[in-house]
Amino acid sequence: MRGVRLLLLLLVGLASLCGAFYLPGLAPVSFCEPPQPGQEGSKDCKSQIELFVNRLDSVESVLPYEYDAFDFCQDATEKRPSENLGQVLFGERIASSPYKFTFNKPETCKKVCMKSYNPENAKDVNKLAFLKKGMQLNYQHHWIIDNMPVTWCYDVEDGQKYCNPGFPIGCFVTAAGRVKDACVMSADFNKKNTFYLFNHVDITIMYHSGKDENWPGARLVAARLEPRSFKHTEKNDLICDGLPMEIPAAFSEKLDVIYTYSVKFVENNSIKWASRWDYILESMPHTNIQWFSIMNSLVIVLFLSGMVAMILLRTLHKDIARYNQMDSSEDAQEEFGWKLVHGDVFRPPRKGMLLSVFLGQGTQIFIMTFITLFFACLGCLSPANRGALMTCAVVLWVLLGTPAGYVSARMYKTFRGEKWKTNVLLTALLCPGVVFADFFIMNLILWVKGSSAAIPFGTLAAILAMWFGISVPLTFIGAYFGFKEKPIEHPVRTNQIPRQIPEQSFFTKPFPGIIMGGILPFGCIFIQLFFILNSIWSHQMYYMFGFLFLVFIILLITCSEATVLLCYFHLCAEDYHWWWRSFLTSSFTAVYLFVYAVHYFFSKLQITGTASTILYFGYTMIMVLIFFLFTGTIGFFACFWFVSKIYSVVKVD
C-alpha cells in the first residue's frame, strides 16, 4: 500500500507540474499595431514580433549545429530563453535573431545584414567552406515565431501540401549536373558544381483578429515562409528579383552575400488559436497507417489471447481437475508433464543476482514509460512544449529509484540470495552506468565535432548529481524495505535433489523458444517504430501519443501472453528452468528492434560520415538496452504469476 500511495502522490505532483507547463491553447499572446505618437499602448498587447532561431539539423548527418556556428546574420543583443533538461539533451539551442517585425506592418526586401568573404583571409575561407558543407548535407533552419514553428509548405504528390517545420540553407548542383535537394524548385538552379544560398525569405504571418472576440488585438495562428535566392547586384537599392545567389565550388574571387526578407500579415479568422498547430500535423498523412498498425496489433493480440484462453480454460482446467482426482502417482507420471516438475519449478535460478537487478531496472523503466505516455496523452508533453517529453522521462526515472530497489531486493531474497549489499549497488549502478558510459562516449564525439548536441559540462554534472544524489539513495531506501519483507512464498515445496530434465525436441530447447517469443511482440510495434525513428532521425514531429499508448498496452498484453504460452509448453516438456527463459523470451524483441534499426539505417537514412554512423548506433544501443529490460520484466512477471497460479491449484502430497 505504501508503494501505491507514493505512486499516487507522484502522479498528483506531475499533474500540478503539467499545469505549470506551457500548454497549447492555454497561454495566448495578443499583438496590436504600435500606438500613434501621444497615445498610450495597451499593456495586454505586444506590437513587436520576435523571430527566434533553433539549431540546424540534417537527415544526412546526426550532428546538429547552433545557428551561430554558421556565418549568418547575428542579433546584436542576443537573448537565449532558458532551456529545460530535455531541450539540452536533444541539442536544442534557441536564440533571438536579427529578424524583428512590427505587427501588421508589411516589409518588402528589407536588408538584415551583409557578409563579405575574401579568398585571401583564412577565416573567411573556413566560414564559407562550413556554409558549403551545410548546403551539401542539406542542413535545415528551424525558426520560431510566438512559440510556433515557421513552416515551409510545398506541394507533394497527389496534390497534397506538406508543411515542413524547417527549410534548407541552400542547395547544390553536382559537377555531373545532378540537381540535389531543394535545387529542384527552380530551373534557375542549373549551373554545374555550384552552390545556391537561400539568402532571402518571404514570410507570411496569419492572425486571428480579436474584434468579435473578448480579447484585445490579434493572435498569431500561422507563420509560413518561402526560401528564395537573389544575387542583389545593387547594394544600396535592393530589389528581390533576378538571378540567384551563386557560390562557386572553387572560391577564388571576393564574395558579398546580402540577407534580406519580406513580410506580410494576413487576417484569417477561420483558424482558432488553440488549433493553430493542426495544419502542420494534418500535412503528415499517417493516420490511416496508424489505424492499420493498431488493427495489425489487435489481430496478433486476439490470436494470442485465443491460444492462452484455450490453454487456461480447456487444457489446464482439464489437467488440474484430472490430476486432483488421481489416486495413483504412477498414472500421473505416465500422462502429464508440467505437474511432474512441481518439486523443482521454484528452484532458484543461476545468476539470480543479475536477474533480480534486471527486474528492478525493468520495473523502474516500465513505471516511467507508463506515466510519461499517460501525461503525453493528456497533452502535457505536446510538440509546443519543447523538451518536455525528455525532461518528464528523466525526472521520473530519477524519482523511481525506490520501486527498482524494492523489486530487485525482494526478488533476490526470494532467490535465496545473501549478498544484499552487492545487489543494492548493482541495482543502483549497473544499467544506469552502462547507459551513462555510452552517452558520455557519444557526447565526446559531439564535443570534438563542435555540435550543439554536445551536452555542456554543467548539465553533465547536474545529471550525475541527480543520479547519485537522488536516484541512488532512493534505490537504497527501496532495497531496505524489500529486504525487510519476507520472501515471496511459493505454492509448492522445492525438492532437495534436482530432477533430471529429459531430452528436449528442437522446438522445446531454450534458444528456438526465445527466438520465437520475440517475433509476436515486435510484430505489434514495428509500424509505430518506423514513426518513432522518423521523429528522432528524420526530424519529423511526433504527436500521436494516443496511438502510442494503445500500442504500449497491446505490447504489454502480447509480451505477457507469448511468454506464458511458451512457458506452458516448456513445463509440459518437463523443463523447469523457466526463470531466465521467461525474461529472455519477451526481451528478445529488443534484438529484433536492433535488426530493424540497422535495416532503417541502410534503407531509409542518407547518413554519411563515420561520426554520424557511430552516433546513430551508439544511441540505438541505449534504446535497445532500455527496451530489453522493459519487455523482459513484463514477460517475467506474467510468467511468474502464471506458474504460481497453476501450481497453487494442484494438490501435492
Side-chain angles (χ1 to χ4, degrees):
M1 281 300 290
R2 194 187 285 111
V4 173
R5 278 187 204 139
L6 270 169
L7 198 60
L8 283 170
L9 276 169
L10 192 66
L11 283 166
V12 170
L14 271 166
S16 62
L17 190 69
C18 212
F21 281 158
Y22 166 78
L23 291 178
L26 295 182
V29 178
S30 294
F31 292 90
C32 301
E33 291 179 32
Q36 297 298 321
Q39 288 183 341
E40 196 177 328
S42 169
K43 289 179 183 176
D44 301 327
C45 252
K46 287 183 176 182
S47 57
Q48 284 292 112
I49 299 172
E50 283 191 278
L51 187 148
F52 286 90
V53 290
N54 203 342
R55 63 168 187 186
L56 287 88
D57 53 37
S58 163
V59 292
E60 294 180 34
S61 172
V62 178
L63 303 163
Y65 288 101
E66 280 190 64
Y67 179 83
D68 293 354
F70 293 92
D71 193 32
F72 298 129
C73 300
Q74 309 291 325
D75 189 7
T77 56
E78 188 177 81
K79 292 182 294 188
R80 287 184 178 269
S82 59
E83 288 163 339
N84 59 40
L85 182 62
Q87 285 176 290
V88 175
L89 291 175
F90 271 127
E92 288 201 13
R93 301 290 182 268
I94 298 172
S96 58
S97 77
Y99 295 83
K100 316 275 184 195
F101 317 123
T102 303
F103 179 72
N104 231 354
K105 184 187 173 187
E107 301 277 4
T108 306
C109 206
K110 185 164 183 182
K111 182 179 174 181
V112 184
C113 75
M114 185 173 91
K115 296 283 180 183
S116 299
Y117 300 97
N118 188 338
E120 293 170 9
N121 185 323
K123 274 189 178 178
D124 287 356
V125 171
N126 289 338
K127 283 177 185 175
L128 197 63
F130 195 60
L131 200 60
K132 286 177 183 175
K133 185 189 172 189
M135 286 186 268
Q136 198 165 3
L137 292 172
N138 195 26
Y139 269 83
Q140 308 248 331
H141 285 282
H142 293 280
W143 289 3
I144 301 159
I145 289 177
D146 190 30
N147 197 38
M148 186 174 52
V150 183
T151 56
W152 173 36
C153 296
Y154 50 88
D155 292 322
V156 288
E157 57 202 20
D158 302 331
Q160 290 182 316
K161 203 176 254 313
Y162 176 72
C163 291
N164 185 357
F167 69 95
I169 296 173
C171 61
F172 176 55
V173 178
T174 64
R178 188 166 70 86
V179 178
K180 279 190 77 185
D181 304 315
C183 278
V184 297
M185 61 196 266
S186 172
D188 294 335
F189 305 145
N190 53 23
K191 200 175 278 187
K192 291 180 181 180
N193 208 23
T194 303
F195 294 89
Y196 292 93
L197 179 70
F198 294 135
N199 60 331
H200 174 86
V201 283
D202 288 329
I203 301 171
T204 305
I205 297 175
M206 295 182 191
Y207 63 89
H208 187 118
S209 176
K211 281 178 192 171
D212 304 325
E213 312 278 352
N214 58 354
W215 72 73
R219 291 173 183 173
L220 307 188
V221 290
R224 298 180 186 181
L225 62 70
E226 193 72 37
R228 311 287 289 274
S229 181
F230 298 121
K231 195 160 190 177
H232 298 308
T233 45
E234 294 293 326
K235 290 171 190 172
N236 298 321
D237 184 21
L238 295 173
I239 301 167
C240 290
D241 203 358
L243 295 170
M245 181 69 232
E246 295 174 359
I247 301 175
F251 177 36
S252 55
E253 296 177 1
K254 284 187 179 180
L255 187 71
D256 291 329
V257 178
I258 299 171
Y259 289 90
T260 55
Y261 73 88
S262 300
V263 63
K264 64 178 179 180
F265 292 82
V266 177
E267 185 175 331
N268 186 342
N269 294 334
S270 64
I271 304 172
K272 286 192 163 55
W273 192 90
S275 56
R276 63 183 187 159
W277 282 70
D278 289 5
Y279 80 97
I280 305 168
L281 307 179
E282 280 167 9
S283 74
M284 301 176 182
H286 301 324
T287 314
N288 292 339
I289 301 169
Q290 293 287 346
W291 281 117
F292 167 74
S293 160
I294 299 292
M295 293 310 293
N296 164 56
S297 304
L298 284 172
V299 167
I300 293 172
V301 166
L302 284 170
F303 164 72
L304 273 174
S305 300
M307 292 279 284
V308 171
M310 192 173 73
I311 285 169
L312 294 178
L313 296 175
R314 293 188 60 192
T315 319
L316 261 177
H317 185 72
K318 217 180 273 178
D319 280 2
I320 291 162
R322 284 164 66 192
Y323 188 60
N324 287 341
Q325 288 167 8
M326 277 282 185
D327 295 323
S328 165
S329 60
E330 286 176 20
D331 290 348
Q333 283 189 354
E334 279 173 21
E335 286 190 37
F336 306 113
W338 65 268
K339 295 161 234 63
L340 291 176
V341 294
H342 67 79
D344 297 275
V345 77
F346 292 107
R347 191 175 298 283
R350 291 176 192 162
K351 310 281 186 207
M353 170 82 79
L354 189 61
L355 182 57
S356 61
V357 168
F358 282 174
L359 292 170
Q361 286 293 333
T363 306
Q364 189 175 8
I365 292 162
F366 166 68
I367 301 170
M368 175 198 81
T369 310
F370 181 82
I371 298 173
T372 304
L373 284 179
F374 178 73
F375 281 107
C377 285
L378 294 181
C380 301
L381 313 175
S382 74
N385 191 14
R386 296 165 213 284
L389 189 75
M390 191 67 170
T391 306
C392 179
V394 171
V395 169
L396 276 171
W397 182 85
V398 167
L399 296 175
L400 288 166
T402 308
Y406 179 83
V407 169
S408 178
R410 190 89 194 274
M411 290 311 300
Y412 185 60
K413 198 170 182 183
T414 304
F415 296 154
R416 301 178 198 165
E418 292 172 0
K419 297 177 182 174
W420 62 271
K421 287 178 186 172
T422 314
N423 174 262
V424 177
L425 285 169
L426 283 175
T427 306
L429 304 175
L430 179 66
C431 297
V434 171
V435 171
F436 185 80
D438 187 327
F439 193 72
F440 185 73
I441 293 163
M442 298 302 107
N443 202 54
L444 278 178
I445 295 168
L446 291 165
W447 179 68
V448 168
K449 291 286 179 181
S451 169
S452 77
I455 293 162
F457 178 76
T459 309
L460 217 54
I463 291 168
L464 280 171
M466 285 166 73
W467 178 16
F468 285 103
I470 303 170
S471 182
V472 172
L474 285 174
T475 308
F476 281 21
I477 292 165
Y480 169 75
F481 286 111
F483 280 117
K484 270 187 79 177
E485 295 274 348
K486 289 178 182 175
I488 298 166
E489 283 188 27
H490 301 312
V492 287
R493 286 197 308 273
T494 303
N495 295 338
Q496 287 185 337
I497 301 163
R499 180 188 177 83
Q500 192 175 351
I501 297 168
E503 185 69 31
Q504 299 292 306
S505 70
F506 175 76
F507 290 105
T508 54
K509 282 179 180 172
F511 202 60
I514 288 166
I515 291 171
M516 286 188 289
I519 293 171
L520 291 170
F522 179 74
C524 292
I525 61 156
F526 82 98
I527 294 175
Q528 200 70 32
L529 194 61
F530 171 75
F531 294 113
I532 292 167
L533 291 176
N534 265 0
S535 72
I536 296 169
W537 304 114
S538 298
H539 314 294
Q540 292 180 11
M541 280 185 193
Y542 192 88
Y543 61 96
M544 295 170 283
F545 294 109
F547 282 119
L548 188 59
F549 195 69
L550 251 175
V551 169
F552 173 78
I553 300 299
I554 289 168
L555 178 65
L556 294 187
I557 298 166
T558 317
C559 281
S560 305
E561 291 183 345
T563 311
V564 164
L565 205 58
L566 287 161
C567 182
Y568 174 76
F569 291 146
H570 287 121
L571 288 174
C572 284
E574 298 176 36
D575 185 352
Y576 51 83
H577 293 312
W578 63 272
W579 300 98
W580 268 109
R581 190 183 287 151
S582 63
F583 184 88
L584 294 172
T585 298
S586 51
S587 67
F588 205 79
T589 313
V591 176
Y592 291 112
L593 185 143
F594 179 73
V595 171
Y596 184 80
V598 172
H599 162 74
Y600 180 84
F601 179 81
F602 288 108
S603 66
K604 298 285 188 292
L605 296 181
Q606 305 148 356
I607 287 174
T608 53
T610 312
S612 288
T613 306
I614 293 167
L615 286 165
Y616 175 86
F617 285 105
Y619 287 130
T620 299
M621 288 314 293
I622 293 175
M623 282 168 57
V624 167
L625 175 64
I626 289 167
F627 199 71
F628 170 81
L629 294 169
F630 163 71
T631 48
T633 303
I634 302 302
F636 176 87
F637 283 114
C639 197
F640 188 39
W641 172 84
F642 171 75
V643 173
S644 300
K645 206 78 182 159
I646 63 170
Y647 284 98
S648 66
V649 292
V650 171
K651 289 178 188 171
V652 178
D653 297 331

